Coordinates of all heavy atoms in Angstrom, one line a residue:
R76 N 9.9 -9.6 -14.0 CA 10.4 -10.0 -15.4 C 10.0 -11.5 -15.7 O 9.5 -11.7 -16.7 CB 11.9 -9.8 -15.5 CG 12.4 -8.4 -15.5 CD 12.0 -7.8 -16.9 NE 12.7 -6.5 -17.1 CZ 12.1 -5.3 -17.2 NH1 10.8 -5.3 -17.1 NH2 12.8 -4.2 -17.4
A77 N 10.2 -12.3 -14.7 CA 10.0 -13.8 -14.9 C 8.5 -14.0 -15.2 O 8.1 -14.9 -15.9 CB 10.4 -14.6 -13.7
A78 N 7.6 -13.1 -14.6 CA 6.2 -13.2 -14.8 C 5.7 -12.6 -16.1 O 4.5 -12.6 -16.3 CB 5.5 -12.6 -13.6
G79 N 6.6 -12.1 -16.8 CA 6.2 -11.6 -18.2 C 6.2 -10.1 -18.3 O 5.8 -9.6 -19.4
I80 N 6.5 -9.3 -17.3 CA 6.5 -7.9 -17.4 C 7.9 -7.5 -18.0 O 8.9 -7.3 -17.2 CB 6.2 -7.2 -16.1 CG1 4.8 -7.6 -15.6 CG2 6.3 -5.7 -16.3 CD1 4.4 -6.9 -14.3
T81 N 8.0 -7.5 -19.3 CA 9.3 -7.4 -19.9 C 9.5 -6.1 -20.7 O 10.6 -5.7 -21.0 CB 9.6 -8.6 -20.9 OG1 8.4 -8.6 -21.8 CG2 9.7 -9.9 -20.2
D82 N 8.4 -5.4 -20.9 CA 8.5 -4.2 -21.8 C 8.4 -2.9 -21.0 O 8.1 -1.9 -21.6 CB 7.4 -4.3 -22.8 CG 6.0 -4.5 -22.2 OD1 6.0 -4.8 -21.0 OD2 5.0 -4.4 -22.9
V83 N 8.6 -2.9 -19.7 CA 8.5 -1.7 -18.9 C 9.8 -1.6 -18.1 O 10.3 -2.6 -17.6 CB 7.3 -1.9 -17.9 CG1 7.2 -0.8 -16.9 CG2 6.0 -2.2 -18.6
P84 N 10.3 -0.4 -18.0 CA 11.5 -0.2 -17.1 C 11.2 -0.5 -15.7 O 10.2 -0.1 -15.2 CB 11.9 1.3 -17.4 CG 10.8 1.9 -18.0 CD 9.9 0.9 -18.6
V85 N 12.1 -1.2 -15.0 CA 12.0 -1.5 -13.6 C 13.3 -1.1 -12.9 O 14.4 -1.5 -13.2 CB 11.8 -3.0 -13.4 CG1 11.7 -3.4 -11.9 CG2 10.6 -3.6 -14.1
L86 N 13.1 -0.2 -11.9 CA 14.3 0.2 -11.1 C 14.2 -0.6 -9.8 O 13.2 -0.8 -9.2 CB 14.1 1.7 -10.7 CG 15.2 2.2 -9.7 CD1 16.6 2.2 -10.3 CD2 14.9 3.7 -9.3
C87 N 15.4 -1.0 -9.4 CA 15.6 -1.8 -8.3 C 16.7 -1.3 -7.4 O 17.8 -1.0 -8.0 CB 15.8 -3.2 -8.8 SG 16.6 -4.3 -7.8
W88 N 16.5 -0.9 -6.2 CA 17.4 -0.1 -5.5 C 18.2 -0.6 -4.3 O 19.0 0.1 -3.7 CB 16.8 1.3 -5.1 CG 15.5 1.2 -4.3 CD1 15.4 0.8 -3.0 CD2 14.2 1.5 -4.8 NE1 14.0 1.0 -2.7 CE2 13.3 1.4 -3.8 CE3 13.7 2.0 -6.1 CZ2 11.9 1.6 -3.9 CZ3 12.3 2.2 -6.2 CH2 11.5 2.0 -5.1
L89 N 17.9 -1.8 -3.9 CA 18.6 -2.3 -2.6 C 19.4 -3.5 -2.9 O 19.0 -4.6 -2.8 CB 17.5 -2.6 -1.6 CG 18.1 -2.8 -0.2 CD1 18.9 -1.6 0.3 CD2 17.0 -3.1 0.8
W90 N 20.7 -3.2 -3.3 CA 21.6 -4.2 -3.7 C 22.6 -4.4 -2.6 O 23.0 -3.5 -1.8 CB 22.4 -3.8 -5.0 CG 21.5 -3.7 -6.2 CD1 20.6 -2.7 -6.5 CD2 21.3 -4.7 -7.1 NE1 19.9 -3.1 -7.7 CE2 20.3 -4.3 -8.1 CE3 21.9 -6.0 -7.3 CZ2 19.9 -5.1 -9.1 CZ3 21.5 -6.8 -8.4 CH2 20.5 -6.3 -9.3
T91 N 23.0 -5.7 -2.5 CA 24.0 -6.1 -1.4 C 25.1 -6.8 -2.2 O 24.9 -7.4 -3.2 CB 23.3 -7.1 -0.5 OG1 22.0 -6.5 -0.1 CG2 24.0 -7.4 0.8
P92 N 26.3 -6.7 -1.6 CA 27.4 -7.4 -2.3 C 27.1 -8.8 -2.6 O 26.6 -9.5 -1.8 CB 28.6 -7.3 -1.4 CG 28.3 -6.0 -0.6 CD 26.8 -5.9 -0.5
G93 N 27.4 -9.2 -3.9 CA 27.2 -10.6 -4.3 C 25.8 -10.8 -4.9 O 25.5 -11.9 -5.3
D94 N 25.0 -9.8 -5.0 CA 23.7 -9.9 -5.6 C 23.8 -10.2 -7.1 O 24.8 -9.9 -7.7 CB 22.8 -8.6 -5.3 CG 22.0 -8.8 -4.1 OD1 21.7 -9.9 -3.6 OD2 21.5 -7.7 -3.6
P95 N 22.7 -10.7 -7.7 CA 22.8 -11.2 -9.1 C 22.7 -10.0 -10.1 O 21.8 -9.9 -10.8 CB 21.6 -12.1 -9.2 CG 20.6 -11.6 -8.2 CD 21.4 -11.0 -7.1
W96 N 23.8 -9.2 -10.2 CA 23.9 -8.1 -11.1 C 23.8 -8.7 -12.6 O 23.2 -8.1 -13.4 CB 25.2 -7.4 -11.0 CG 25.5 -6.8 -9.7 CD1 26.2 -7.3 -8.7 CD2 25.0 -5.5 -9.2 NE1 26.3 -6.4 -7.6 CE2 25.5 -5.3 -7.9 CE3 24.3 -4.5 -9.8 CZ2 25.3 -4.2 -7.1 CZ3 24.0 -3.3 -9.0 CH2 24.5 -3.2 -7.7
D97 N 24.4 -9.9 -12.8 CA 24.3 -10.4 -14.2 C 22.9 -10.7 -14.6 O 22.5 -10.4 -15.7 CB 25.2 -11.7 -14.2 CG 24.9 -12.7 -13.1 OD1 24.1 -12.4 -12.2 OD2 25.3 -13.9 -13.2
Q98 N 22.1 -11.2 -13.7 CA 20.7 -11.5 -14.0 C 19.9 -10.2 -14.2 O 19.1 -10.1 -15.1 CB 20.0 -12.3 -12.9 CG 20.5 -13.7 -12.8 CD 19.8 -14.4 -11.6 OE1 18.6 -14.3 -11.4 NE2 20.6 -15.2 -10.9
G99 N 20.3 -9.2 -13.4 CA 19.7 -7.8 -13.6 C 20.0 -7.3 -15.0 O 19.1 -6.6 -15.6
I100 N 21.2 -7.5 -15.4 CA 21.6 -6.9 -16.7 C 20.8 -7.7 -17.8 O 20.2 -7.1 -18.7 CB 23.2 -7.1 -17.0 CG1 23.9 -6.2 -15.9 CG2 23.5 -6.7 -18.4 CD1 25.4 -6.5 -15.9
E101 N 20.8 -9.0 -17.7 CA 20.1 -9.8 -18.7 C 18.6 -9.5 -18.7 O 18.0 -9.5 -19.8 CB 20.2 -11.3 -18.4 CG 21.6 -11.9 -18.2 CD 22.1 -12.6 -19.4 OE1 21.7 -12.3 -20.5 OE2 23.0 -13.5 -19.1
A102 N 18.1 -9.1 -17.6 CA 16.7 -8.8 -17.5 C 16.4 -7.3 -17.8 O 15.2 -6.9 -17.8 CB 16.1 -9.1 -16.1
G103 N 17.4 -6.6 -18.1 CA 17.2 -5.2 -18.5 C 16.7 -4.3 -17.4 O 16.0 -3.3 -17.6
L104 N 17.1 -4.7 -16.1 CA 16.7 -3.9 -15.0 C 17.5 -2.6 -14.9 O 18.7 -2.6 -15.4 CB 16.9 -4.6 -13.6 CG 16.2 -6.0 -13.5 CD1 16.5 -6.5 -12.1 CD2 14.7 -5.8 -13.7
D105 N 16.9 -1.5 -14.3 CA 17.7 -0.4 -14.0 C 18.2 -0.6 -12.5 O 17.3 -0.8 -11.6 CB 16.9 0.9 -14.0 CG 16.7 1.4 -15.4 OD1 16.2 0.6 -16.3 OD2 17.1 2.5 -15.7
M106 N 19.5 -0.6 -12.3 CA 20.0 -1.0 -11.0 C 20.7 0.2 -10.4 O 21.5 0.9 -10.9 CB 21.1 -2.1 -11.3 CG 20.4 -3.3 -12.0 SD 21.5 -4.6 -12.5 CE 22.3 -3.9 -13.8
S107 N 20.3 0.4 -9.1 CA 20.7 1.6 -8.4 C 22.1 1.3 -7.8 O 22.4 0.3 -7.3 CB 19.8 1.9 -7.3 OG 20.2 3.1 -6.6
V108 N 23.0 2.3 -8.0 CA 24.3 2.3 -7.5 C 24.5 3.5 -6.5 O 24.4 4.6 -6.9 CB 25.3 2.4 -8.7 CG1 26.7 2.6 -8.2 CG2 25.3 1.0 -9.5
S109 N 24.9 3.1 -5.3 CA 25.1 4.2 -4.3 C 26.6 4.4 -3.9 O 26.9 5.2 -3.1 CB 24.4 3.8 -3.0 OG 23.0 3.9 -3.2
G110 N 27.5 3.4 -4.4 CA 28.9 3.5 -4.0 C 29.7 2.8 -5.0 O 29.2 2.0 -5.8

Side-chain angles (χ1 to χ4, degrees):
R76 288 287 192 245
I80 302 183
T81 51
D82 53 350
V83 176
V85 178
L86 173 65
C87 156
W88 52 73
L89 191 55
W90 292 82
T91 313
D94 266 343
W96 300 97
D97 51 350
Q98 292 176 42
I100 296 168
E101 307 257 28
L104 302 181
D105 282 58
M106 300 176 287
S107 182
V108 166
S109 290

